[in-house]
Amino acid sequence: MISNRRTVLSAALAAVITLSVPSAFAAKPLVIGFSQVGAESEWRTANTVSIKDAAKKEGITLKFADAQQKQENQVKAIRSFIAQRVDVIAFSPVVESGWDTVLREAKRANIPVILTDRAVNVSDPSLYVSFLGSDFVEEGRRAGRWLVERQKKTPDVALNIVELQGTVGSAPALDRKKGFEEIIAGNAKLKVIRSQTGDFTRAKGKEVMEAFLKAEGKKINVLYAHNDDMAIGAIQAIEEAGLKPGKDILVISIDGVKGAFEAMIAGKLNVTVECNPLLGPQLMQIAKDVVAKKPVPKRVVTQEGVFPAEVAAKEFPNRKY
Ligand code: GZL
């Protein structure tokens, strides 16, 4: 009888210990090292908020580094994440090239790397496990298609285009230029007369547009800006030159941030091609799957649309960034 009671008591005691003492084997939170391009635009701010919020929601420890748009700062951050032995490294590469060495160091340290937002040009695609982001060439095509359709309204009128490019050497700048040119190629009525980087910022976009206006003045019929922030800066320059943005000069841009919708509602911007920055939840899921040794897609393309001024007021309340 006593031995039975002892058995029951010891089983009960073991159960209490197991339940009450946190197990030394409880899964420790995932640690992700994230190197962000910077804080150059509304898009970037929304992207950062999405990533930080998603990490917090998932109970993931996020080590976040802002590179202030400098590649050397991203390389330093990635090396620091390797030294800290994070579980996953994720980053939005400010430019396409110059990553092989540091990504090989991450591979040697057995730390998986996930690309978000922008792509890299590397000799060995195994240097990253997945790339989550938009198709920038298609975004450029969508901008071009809008202009081709718009030009058909006045088929005999030639339109001179000035282009504000994104950061030199960055995937969005290279690809948005490529996609736009692909669509307008062969159209004798559409001609790019000036093209220069505005580095994705409002200030630089305004400065370069001022130079375009000084050089070309009323010859300019269209502005194609690789992001809304440069377009918003350029709109200020157009107004200060005594011209009406959206009317005297058609304004086409990319991102779909709230500032662009406000400019469209004010009649100063004609169309924005959406580029979705809300990548946080998908990034966290890919990171969890990688650590759990589940298969992850090499390429995840974000879904996005095109918003002409005609729909801006109706769509604005739905905008999340
Ligand atoms: C695009 C992103 C670009 C945005 C800009 O995915 O890399 O960088 O279009 C941002 O607004 O600065």
Side-chain angles (χ1 to χ4, degrees):
M1 198 47 183
I2 290 172
S3 62
N4 259 350
R5 194 179 301 138
R6 272 204 192 118
T7 313
V8 169
L9 276 175
S10 55
L13 187 60
V16 167
I17 288 170
T18 309
L19 289 172
S20 58
V21 174
S23 154
F25 303 102
K28 67 181 181 57
L30 192 59
V31 180
I32 297 178
F34 187 87
S35 168
Q36 179 60 294
V37 165
E40 73 283 359
S41 63
E42 275 187 65
W43 188 98
R44 189 64 55 197
T45 304
N47 180 246
T48 292
V49 167
S50 173
I51 289 165
K52 288 183 174 175
D53 287 357
K56 196 170 174 186
K57 186 160 175 264
E58 293 291 332
I60 288 171
T61 301
L62 185 73
K63 293 177 181 293
F64 183 91
D66 175 330
Q68 295 170 331
Q69 287 191 281
K70 291 183 175 60
Q71 180 171 30
E72 64 264 27
N73 290 343
Q74 291 201 288
V75 171
K76 274 186 210 145
I78 291 170
R79 286 193 167 125
S80 164
F81 297 147
I82 292 169
Q84 296 175 67
R85 302 289 318 143
V86 299
D87 297 306
V88 175
I89 290 170
F91 75 117
S92 172
V94 60
V95 292
E96 278 193 344
S97 54
W99 302 103
D100 290 73
T101 303
V102 73
L103 294 185
R104 271 200 290 274
E105 291 168 22
K107 186 171 183 180
R108 273 199 299 276
N110 282 320
I111 300 177
V113 174
I114 301 169
L115 302 180
T116 70
D117 168 28
R118 298 182 182 180
V120 294
N121 251 334
V122 287
S123 54
D124 172 5
S126 75
L127 290 176
Y128 63 90
V129 291
S130 185
F131 165 35
L132 162 63
S134 304
D135 178 344
F136 300 132
V137 178
E138 180 55 24
E139 291 172 349
R141 292 192 192 105
R142 289 174 178 173
R145 289 188 197 114
W146 183 89
L147 184 57
V148 166
E149 287 311 304
R150 176 64 183 254
Q151 194 274 337
K152 284 176 183 171
K153 293 182 178 176
T154 54
D156 302 330
V157 176
L159 297 176
N160 292 321
I161 305 159
V162 293
E163 180 180 27
L164 286 171
Q165 296 181 37
T167 300
V168 175
S170 69
L174 295 165
D175 290 354
R176 286 169 182 169
K177 182 171 179 46
K178 182 178 166 193
F180 184 80
E181 285 173 348
E182 179 190 303
I183 296 300
I184 70 167
N187 185 324
K189 298 293 184 191
L190 297 176
K191 184 173 174 235
V192 176
I193 60 172
R194 295 263 172 168
S195 182
Q196 193 179 325
T197 184
D199 208 16
F200 283 131
T201 68
R202 290 190 183 198
K204 195 78 180 145
K206 182 180 182 195
E207 184 188 315
V208 175
M209 189 66 200
E210 284 164 349
F212 286 163
L213 287 161
K214 203 167 175 184
E216 303 290 354
K218 292 197 167 45
K219 270 177 62 188
I220 302 171
N221 308 114
V222 182
L223 163 64
Y224 168 47
H226 290 185
N227 84 328
D228 294 334
D229 283 72
M230 293 190 292
I232 291 165
I235 284 168
Q236 288 171 1
I238 294 168
E239 291 180 311
E240 287 170 9
L243 297 170
K244 292 189 181 63
K247 296 172 185 62
D248 298 330
I249 296 178
L250 297 176
V251 181
I252 304 166
S253 72
I254 299 177
D255 276 350
V257 298
K258 283 183 178 152
F261 279 81
E262 288 157 347
M264 287 194 285
I265 291 165
K268 299 178 181 178
L269 192 142
N270 299 89
V271 59
T272 183
V273 174
E274 186 180 34
C275 176
N276 187 345
L278 308 181
L279 305 176
Q282 284 174 287
L283 169 59
M284 298 308 144
Q285 189 55 55
I286 294 170
K288 289 194 297 183
D289 289 347
V290 167
V291 169
K293 306 280 183 235
K294 291 180 184 169
V296 295
K298 190 74 178 175
R299 179 76 174 94
V300 180
V301 181
T302 36
Q303 303 306 312
E304 42 212 25
V306 180
F307 296 94
E310 296 77 14
V311 305
K314 180 168 162 289
E315 179 63 27
F316 187 62
N318 307 327
R319 300 304 296 167
K320 298 189 181 72
Y321 64 92

